[in-house]
């Protein structure tokens, strides 16, 4: 069921483990496999949409099971390199539930997308919660980035909405695929921010206890 006329009911699927796309965020991709070059060609000649989704660890190696929820993204930039690769930027539009994978005569997988329950995604970014502890979250983020060896433009972050910071960090932070999926499926930006804070705190606590203390935080 499509909840917005711009959203296609059928999407070409780009399964990448550990990679998520959130609504309103941009994801640069380096496309080089022939089947996905074909997928980009088809998307560019059609509605411009691609479904980003994570493969699971179950199923055949060459055709793994897929997560239930992914994100429909529209190709916003496209260029070709001299060696035949495509450099594209996908902008997330709406999450979807994968309801079926019809057999198609394409080298890539195709999925039926149901956008029910994700109506907020196409309304644009939500306003930040005025009661959110912005200073505390940014302080935690700085500690986590230092621990993970991630550079950031803190001057820009000081003025950016918390929802935008949360989305970018959720996509970029080196957590494992299960954590990434949980961040993707969080119902609202405030819930995603709370989960992200919990994951960062767990990773920092795990680092203090040492590598033999278990997988808290589950960094890659």
């Amino acid at each position: 069921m499509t909840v917005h006329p711009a959203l296609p009911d059928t999407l070409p699927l780009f399964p990448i483990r550990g990679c998520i796309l959130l609504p309103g965020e941009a994801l640069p991709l380096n496309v080089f496999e022939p089947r996905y070059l074909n997928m980009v060609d088809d998307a560019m000649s059609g509605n411009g949409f691609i479904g980003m989704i994570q493969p699971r660890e179950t199923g055949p190696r060459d055709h793994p099971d897929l997560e239930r929820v992914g994100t429909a993204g529209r190709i916003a930039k496209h260029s070709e390199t001299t060696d035949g690769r495509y450099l594209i930027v996908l902008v997330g539009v709406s999450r979807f539930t994968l309801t079926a994978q019809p057999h198609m005569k394409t080298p890539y997988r195709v999925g039926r997308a149901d956008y029910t329950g994700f109506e907020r995604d196409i309304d644009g970014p939500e306003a930040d919660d005025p009661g959110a502890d912005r200073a505390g979250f940014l302080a935690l983020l700085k500690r986590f980035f230092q621990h993970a060896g991630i550079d950031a433009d803190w001057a820009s972050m000081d003025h950016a909405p918390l929802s935008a910071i949360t989305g970018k960090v959720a996509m970029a932070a080196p957590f494992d695929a299960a954590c990434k999926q949980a961040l993707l499926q969080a119902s609202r930006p405030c819930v995603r921010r709370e989960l992200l804070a919990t994951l960062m705190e767990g990773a920092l606590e795990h680092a203090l206890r040492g590598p033999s203390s278990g997988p808290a935080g589950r960094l890659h």
Side-chain angles (χ1 to χ4, degrees), residues 2 24 27 47 49-50 64 78 93 116 135 146 162 173 175 183 186 195 202:
T2 300
L27 177 65
N47 55 33
F49 275 90
I50 290 174
H78 174 281
V93 177
T116 304
Q146 183 178 20
L162 270 182
F175 293 115
L183 288 165
L195 174 57

Side-chain angles (χ1 to χ4, degrees), residues 33-156:
E33 287 189 51
R35 57 180 164 169
Y36 296 124
L37 294 172
N38 184 267
M39 177 190 70
V40 172
D41 286 339
D42 289 349
M44 290 293 293
S45 64
N47 55 33
F49 275 90
I50 290 174
M52 294 301 303
I53 197 162
Q54 290 200 95
R56 294 176 172 171
E57 293 184 328
T58 56
R61 184 167 184 171
D62 61 345
H63 197 86
D65 298 330
L66 300 178
E67 290 289 352
R68 185 168 174 266
V69 175
T71 302
R74 189 193 296 273
I75 298 175
K77 293 183 181 180
H78 174 281
S79 62
E80 185 174 356
T81 64
T82 55
D83 60 356
R85 292 175 291 118
Y86 288 158
L87 303 179
I88 67 173
V89 175
L90 278 186
V91 174
V93 177
S94 175
R95 291 169 293 175
F96 64 87
T97 299
L98 180 65
T99 58
Q101 294 182 62
H103 178 70
M104 307 285 281
K105 293 181 179 180
T106 59
Y108 51 84
R109 298 166 76 170
V110 174
R112 301 278 187 203
D114 182 353
Y115 304 93
T116 304
F118 301 117
E119 291 84 359
R120 289 177 179 269
D121 289 357
I122 59 175
D123 292 336
E126 293 187 21
D128 285 339
D129 178 2
D133 182 6
R134 180 185 179 90
F137 181 78
L138 290 179
L140 171 62
L141 188 60
K142 287 180 180 180
R143 295 200 309 274
F144 176 76
F145 274 24
Q146 183 178 20
H147 159 66
I150 300 173
D151 294 325
D153 182 354
W154 295 110
S156 296

